[in-house]
Amino acid sequence: MSAELSPIDKAKFAAAKRAVQYVEDGMRVGLGTGSTAAWMVRCLGEMVREEGLQIKGVPTSTRTADLARQMGIEVVTLDEAKWLDVTIDGADEFDGQLNLIKGGGGALLQEKIVATASDMMVVIADAAKEVAQLGAFPLPVEVVPFGWQTTRALIEETLVGMDVLGRTTTLRLNGQKPFLTDENNYIVDLHLNRIGDPRQLALVLNQIPGVVENGLFIDICDVVVIGQGDGRVEVRDINEGTIAHDQVDFGDSANIFTDLD
């Protein structure tokens, strides 16, 4: 079945399959949101069914919660778990310091809360997500609906003093209506092209009234697992300063592919 997957899906699956090796019996695990994270949830579900793995999963979105339950993973809230052993999630971009842009799927607020409530954050990605400097992917900023146009204007005014190449902003839509996050907020996407100082930008954006959170994850990610379409994976540990290589076998995971639509 895996032969029917695109190279990019194979790369995402390879990264997810390697990343779940960080999960041990009895752990409390943050479950990320997005296409790559969905592979991780499927891999964990297989471990629950086939190996008897017992974990408590804290999802970062309603759609991840639905998938986790479908895969047989026990789902609890962060308040119930209180603290997590590890969070595994995807990223829209990551740089050499493992700083991230996240929020392409609209779940950045819950993703950041869960990731920072974890002993370790593991990011799974394909090689195309690595960049020399963040910013090619639009930076999501979650804002409250009340006065959102004023908040957007303040963001644009703030960007004038930032080290960025672009300053265009757009309200994310779902059809003809504003996209709503799980917390019923809006998302304004910042088309910056290049972010010269991600740490400064993250701090400044969160000082703007109406801004709930931004998609810059600074000093949060501990490990990135980069998958390739042929099953090769590279594991970078920012704390240990190590880079390791591994090979994922697609053939032993037929159950994951059989329930794909």
Side-chain angles (χ1 to χ4, degrees):
M1 294 292 292
S2 63
E4 300 174 12
L5 296 176
S6 67
I8 192 71
D9 278 333
K10 288 183 179 180
K12 292 177 179 180
F13 170 67
K17 185 72 173 176
R18 175 61 180 83
V20 296
Q21 293 181 22
Y22 287 95
V23 179
E24 299 176 3
D25 203 52
M27 279 189 169
R28 294 158 296 180
V29 183
L31 307 175
T33 295
S35 60
T36 309
W39 286 112
M40 174 269 301
V41 175
R42 290 180 180 276
C43 288
L44 286 176
E46 183 185 47
M47 294 168 68
V48 168
R49 295 190 302 270
E50 303 295 329
E51 303 172 20
L53 177 73
Q54 294 188 349
I55 59 172
K56 296 183 186 295
V58 176
T60 54
S61 66
T62 54
R63 56 188 183 276
T64 294
D66 291 342
L67 178 60
R69 293 189 182 100
Q70 180 184 338
M71 293 296 108
I73 299 170
E74 180 182 355
V75 171
V76 299
T77 66
L78 182 57
D79 287 334
E80 290 170 327
K82 294 184 172 59
W83 193 261
L84 306 178
D85 297 286
V86 62
T87 287
I88 306 176
D89 204 346
D92 298 304
E93 284 185 347
F94 68 92
D95 65 14
Q97 290 73 50
L98 304 195
N99 294 316
L100 320 170
I101 285 182
K102 288 180 53 56
L108 66 102
L109 176 58
Q110 293 187 19
E111 287 173 335
K112 189 175 281 191
I113 293 171
V114 169
T116 53
S118 306
D119 288 336
M120 172 186 289
M121 183 190 190
V122 177
V123 163
I124 46 180
D126 58 89
K129 301 295 175 59
E130 182 173 12
V131 295
Q133 282 189 299
L134 299 177
F137 191 91
L139 175 63
V141 178
E142 186 160 340
V143 304
V144 296
F146 176 82
W148 75 267
Q149 294 189 58
T150 299
T151 303
R152 176 180 174 179
L154 288 170
I155 291 171
E156 292 174 345
E157 182 179 324
T158 298
L159 290 176
V160 174
M162 295 290 102
D163 183 9
V164 295
L165 286 183
R167 299 187 182 93
T168 302
T169 68
T170 55
L171 177 68
R172 189 177 300 185
L173 300 177
N174 181 12
Q176 299 299 314
K177 298 181 179 180
F179 172 89
L180 285 179
T181 70
D182 279 354
E183 300 298 323
N184 290 314
N185 293 318
Y186 293 171
I187 287 183
V188 176
D189 288 308
L190 314 186
H191 304 267
L192 308 177
N193 300 320
R194 181 188 62 80
I195 301 172
D197 191 338
R199 186 184 307 276
Q200 180 191 37
L201 181 60
L203 291 172
V204 170
L205 286 173
N206 280 11
Q207 297 302 310
I208 298 173
V211 169
V212 180
E213 190 52 83
N214 68 84
L216 285 165
F217 284 50
I218 310 298
D219 297 334
I220 297 175
C221 175
D222 298 287
V223 174
V224 64
V225 181
I226 307 164
Q228 303 283 349
D230 59 3
R232 289 178 296 147
V233 293
E234 179 175 294
V235 182
R236 301 184 193 171
D237 188 317
I238 194 72
N239 300 314
E240 299 293 333
T242 58
I243 299 176
H245 296 88
D246 205 345
Q247 181 74 35
V248 169
D249 181 9
F250 294 123
D252 62 354
S253 299
N255 291 339
I256 291 179
F257 302 110
T258 54
D259 57 4
L260 288 175
D261 293 333

